[in-house]
Amino acid sequence: MEAISKHEGKVYPLNRSNVDTDQIIPKQFLKRIERTGFGQFVFYNWRFNDDGTKREDFDMDDAKFDGASVLVAGDNFGCGSSREHAPWALLDYGYKVIIAPGFADIFYSNAFKNGIILIKMPETQVAEWQEQARNGDFNISVDLEKQEITDSSGKTLKFEIPAYHKEKLINGWDDIALTLLNEEKITAFEERGSLGIR
């Protein structure tokens, strides 16, 4: 997992609540074995018609939002099934930070495990940023160590994040990396076991 302590990026405002994982990555695209390549299918049913042409009533693909890496969404983001493909798709598309009033519990855990910074902010603040971002020229900067967000207007706000997830993100530790931090202890334990020592 790539370490991340600071990120600044363009905001895409997703003014929808209760966005479930099937909307993030529809089930017909879950057959891939590897973690990469899912980004092209993120929010597919909102972005494309049945014949594969782009829909005009969903603006994520507008040129003004090219390169957006901060998603500001409505409450209860990531609800529905527990598919880990959802954070894979969002990260593969380019979203490094997701800000919302609240997240579904399993998605919250899965996204952190895959290196996405999730930040909970009040609905009023989320609505303000969504409005400011509509023209595609609004950025947000996140400092994970200081736990601060600074927007294009210069406003700086503090945010809370579980210390466990913060440490993993800053160091780029996934669950395997955390286990390997204790490699010497694990090896010693295995050696004691092979000798019949407990």
Side-chain angles (χ1 to χ4, degrees), residues 1 14 18 22 58-60 63 74 78 84 90-92 95 103 108 117 121 163 183 188:
M1 188 171 81
L14 182 62
N18 301 308
D22 189 54
F58 192 69
D59 60 4
M60 194 173 83
E84 196 168 11
L90 290 162
L91 190 61
D92 192 60
Y95 290 120
F103 299 91
Y108 191 72
I117 300 174
M121 296 297 289
E183 187 174 11

Side-chain angles (χ1 to χ4, degrees), residues 29-87:
F29 302 116
L30 304 184
K31 298 175 183 177
R32 302 174 69 93
I33 299 172
E34 64 278 4
R35 293 187 180 193
T36 58
F38 289 101
Q40 60 188 314
F41 306 121
V42 74
F43 302 129
Y44 188 88
N45 292 334
W46 292 343
R47 293 167 60 206
F48 299 99
N49 295 305
D50 292 341
D51 63 0
T53 57
K54 289 184 179 180
R55 295 178 56 162
E56 296 181 0
D57 59 350
F58 192 69
D59 60 4
M60 194 173 83
D61 289 309
D62 283 4
K64 64 184 179 181
F65 293 118
D66 283 353
S69 59
V70 178
L71 182 66
V72 178
D75 195 22
N76 198 29
F77 187 86
C79 56
S81 66
S82 60
R83 64 188 65 165
E84 196 168 11
H85 301 74

Side-chain angles (χ1 to χ4, degrees), residues 177-194:
L178 279 177
T179 301
L180 292 176
L181 290 175
N182 295 302
E183 187 174 11
E184 290 184 6
K185 293 179 180 178
I186 293 169
T187 300
F189 177 80
E190 289 175 341
E191 289 175 350
R192 288 200 305 273
S194 66

